[in-house]
Amino acid sequence: MAMTLRLPEELDAQLEAIARARHISKHAVIIEAATRFVNSESKTDRVLSIADEITERYADTLKRLEDA
């Protein structure tokens, strides 16, 4: 899917430097960064979901520990 991306000049320059150093395009750098961000967010969502499940499952135990 095509998309126009407007970046602040400083960020654009930083991405350009990274791309040059890695011998890849800015497009490739941005795709990699976006992929890493999505994967990170997915992991965060899974961890929070598991934490919610644990909190529900062990609510009584957690309450007793809180009162101890």
Side-chain angles (χ1 to χ4, degrees), residues 3-68:
M3 174 179 166
T4 300
L5 181 62
R6 291 180 181 88
L7 301 170
E9 286 183 31
E10 185 176 327
L11 180 56
D12 184 59
Q14 291 170 329
L15 289 170
E16 182 68 38
I18 292 168
R20 255 187 279 111
R22 294 176 68 185
H23 306 286
I24 60 176
S25 67
K26 271 197 302 188
H27 174 84
V29 173
I30 291 169
I31 294 296
E32 182 180 336
T35 300
R36 286 184 185 192
F37 177 75
V38 167
N39 289 339
S40 173
E41 289 295 303
S42 291
K43 288 176 187 171
T44 300
D45 289 343
R46 284 188 301 220
V47 168
L48 291 175
S49 176
I50 291 168
D52 286 343
E53 290 174 21
I54 290 170
T55 300
E56 288 176 27
R57 182 174 181 179
Y58 296 104
D60 292 338
T61 303
L62 292 170
K63 182 64 176 166
R64 282 183 278 158
L65 286 171
E66 183 181 287
D67 294 339

